[in-house]
Amino acid sequence: MTRIVTAAARIVCYVAAAFLLAMVVINVADVVLRSGFDAPLFGTYEVVEFLLAAVAFLAIPEAFLRDQHIA
């Protein structure tokens, strides 16, 4: 049972890492489109906000199992 929980926590942590990468890509794309083509991505702020909340909450299981803090 412990191995299943550990594996699930690790998978959720990988999803959090993918969301973090998505946040970076969305911000970079928004800045490039805004400065280069004067065409910003609408809703970028809200999407990044939701992804940030998801990253924080998805990282909790792995941090709990390691007995560490999210930094």
Side-chain angles (χ1 to χ4, degrees), residues 14-29 48 51 55:
Y14 288 146
V15 172
F19 284 174
L20 190 61
L21 180 65
M23 286 171 42
V24 171
V25 169
I26 289 171
N27 275 323
V28 168
V48 170
L51 287 174
V55 166

Side-chain angles (χ1 to χ4, degrees), residues 11 18 26 29 33 45 58:
I11 289 170
I26 289 171
L33 288 172
Y45 184 77
L58 290 174

